[in-house]
Amino acid sequence: MAKCEVCGNNYEMAFEVRAAGAVHIFDSLECAAQRMAPICENCNCRILGHGLQADGQFYCCAHCAREKGRAELVDHA
């Protein structure tokens, strides 16, 4: 069994995520999102979709980007 790096659960169906040369072990998508997903600079939610990025800052949507003065960013839906 593998141990989740977020919650510490030993789980027979844990999975690996490889990113930026590192290997991460999780027991659930919730734990993977908690560790891996970027956080919106405005509302602090985890960005699980496409989101927006400018100058190293992440936003969950164009509204949040505008709230932080990034009027040039638009949703691509």
Side-chain angles (χ1 to χ4, degrees), residues 9-31:
N9 184 32
N10 284 313
Y11 186 48
E12 66 185 28
M13 296 191 316
F15 57 93
E16 293 182 358
V17 174
R18 296 173 185 268
V23 178
H24 303 274
I25 306 292
F26 304 108
D27 70 341
S28 66
L29 290 176
E30 290 88 353
C31 285

Side-chain angles (χ1 to χ4, degrees), residues 42-76:
N42 184 60
C43 71
N44 295 314
C45 75
R46 294 281 175 186
I47 302 169
L48 301 178
H50 292 284
L52 303 166
Q53 181 181 2
D55 297 326
Q57 296 182 321
F58 294 91
Y59 306 97
C60 65
C61 63
H63 168 78
C64 280
R66 285 191 303 273
E67 289 291 308
K68 291 294 188 174
R70 302 307 303 239
E72 74 279 10
L73 296 179
V74 297
D75 285 320
H76 294 283

